[in-house]
Amino acid sequence: MTHYVDYIADQKRDPAIVAHRGAWHGAPENSLAAIERAIAVGADVVELDIRKSADGELFIMHDDTLLRVAGIDRDAETFTIAELQAIALREDDGGEHRATTDQRIPTLKQALEIIRGRIFADLDLKDRGLFSEVAACAREMNAAPYVDLKTRVMTCEELDWVRAQNIDGVAFMAMSKFTAESIHETMALLSEIRPFMCEMRFDSLETIKANRQMFRDANMALWTNTLNMEASGEWVDKTALVDPDRIWGTLMEAGVSVFQTDEPEALNAYLEARRA
């Protein structure tokens, strides 16, 4: 399997599918089963949320508490890893109406063991102070070429913070917003650290379209979330399921080449139909 950075840098590749919290339609989100499903349904990248247990073990969980995914209203990081791994996860994205499964909360090491050489992983740290520690874990597991770390870079202070981290061998993705007024300033800032990719928000798709060549020249791929969230604006999965050309197709034409979605199977089917 090629290095994550080389894969993303290939401008001839198909758009990349990122399975948000794993492919969780049919497996508990952020579980080992959800990672396996992401691989099975043709995702290229799996997004996983990282936290640290009371006894210092890195584990995978999005919410602060276990209420939604396991029905336990307590902060996940107050449990030891042994306690966390004794808890059964609810199916899909959880909630009171979901049945419990045989899946447990995975450690980061368990997840890296599964992804290594099979799928790339976007590691979303719930505390960015874990940057260097997570990078060290990826190196130790020989998974560093397959993962990225990300955080916001919109100010000189945020840029300096990233530079101070020891993430050798691990790809860095910036999280930035591009607006017509500030895009050149933002790109000048990003040029200082040359991220291989940017998880972006934007004022208008016209801003992205008009600056396609600038992104290409910077060798920086554009990642967009089409999750059904306010931050996605009009560019959401629920519309894409009905009219994929309007959402995924329009974004692709503007230069977006990486999509984080809760509908990886539908996006994969759409890409296959476009290739046919």
Side-chain angles (χ1 to χ4, degrees):
M1 189 177 182
T2 55
H3 194 292
Y4 193 5
V5 170
D6 295 335
Y7 162 70
I8 291 294
D10 178 4
Q11 296 190 354
K12 296 187 184 73
R13 66 171 168 78
D14 283 339
I17 302 168
V18 184
H20 179 233
R21 305 180 194 170
W24 55 261
H25 293 289
E29 70 170 51
N30 273 314
S31 67
L32 298 180
I35 299 172
E36 289 289 1
R37 271 206 90 247
I39 295 167
V41 304
D44 305 289
V45 183
V46 61
E47 183 261 359
L48 302 169
D49 299 289
I50 315 298
R51 295 182 174 276
K52 192 174 181 178
S53 70
D55 55 344
E57 188 75 34
L58 296 164
F59 69 96
I60 304 198
M61 168 75 50
H62 179 270
D63 294 5
D64 291 340
T65 79
L66 296 169
L67 187 60
R68 182 171 57 86
V69 297
I72 300 166
D73 191 8
R74 181 176 144 191
D75 190 328
E77 295 184 359
T78 63
F79 291 86
T80 66
I81 198 63
E83 289 169 335
L84 286 167
Q85 296 216 291
I87 295 165
L89 290 169
R90 289 170 167 169
E91 62 190 8
D92 293 8
D93 60 347
E96 285 179 28
H97 57 299
R98 301 282 194 199
T100 54
T101 69
D102 62 355
Q103 288 292 298
R104 300 290 189 259
I105 296 164
T107 65
L108 175 58
K109 286 180 177 175
Q110 287 174 320
L112 293 177
E113 189 65 47
I114 285 184
I115 68 112
R116 190 173 57 232
R118 299 175 69 212
I119 191 170
F120 302 113
D122 168 57
L123 305 180
D124 188 351
L125 311 192
K126 295 297 117 182
D127 169 9
R128 73 173 189 173
L130 298 173
F131 249 59
S132 298
E133 191 175 337
V134 169
C137 181
R139 288 193 294 268
E140 181 192 327
M141 296 292 295
N142 295 317
Y146 309 115
V147 304
D148 73 46
L149 291 172
K150 64 185 180 186
T151 192
R152 204 178 95 123
V153 181
M154 288 292 290
T155 66
C156 291
E157 291 75 22
E158 289 167 342
L159 176 74
D160 291 342
W161 186 90
V162 173
R163 280 177 157 160
Q165 308 310 303
N166 175 15
I167 59 169
D168 293 349
V170 174
F172 175 70
M173 174 163 69
M175 301 170 77
S176 306
K177 182 170 183 180
F178 298 116
T179 65
E181 299 75 34
S182 64
I183 187 165
H184 292 284
E185 196 180 314
T186 304
M187 286 298 286
L189 198 66
L190 294 176
S191 72
E192 299 281 323
I193 44 170
R194 301 178 63 81
F196 81 125
M197 184 155 57
C198 182
E199 181 176 328
M200 63 161 185
R201 292 182 185 170
F202 47 86
D203 56 350
S204 151
L205 197 56
E206 291 309 309
T207 301
I208 305 308
K209 267 188 187 165
N211 291 283
R212 281 186 71 165
Q213 194 57 48
M214 182 165 59
F215 296 124
R216 273 209 197 101
D217 292 345
N219 292 318
M220 187 179 78
L222 298 180
W223 160 314
T224 291
N225 299 327
T226 58
L227 310 170
N228 295 324
M229 295 162 62
E230 199 177 325
S232 303
E234 68 187 280
W235 308 100
V236 289
D237 286 337
K238 61 187 177 188
T239 309
L241 290 176
V242 179
D243 188 354
D245 285 332
R246 182 178 153 196
I247 303 299
W248 294 323
T250 303
L251 288 165
M252 279 177 221
E253 281 154 24
V256 175
S257 68
V258 185
F259 293 87
Q260 180 171 216
T261 176
D262 284 318
E263 304 292 345
E265 286 172 279
L267 177 51
N268 194 31
Y270 174 64
L271 295 175
E272 283 185 355
R274 278 174 68 105
R275 285 194 295 270

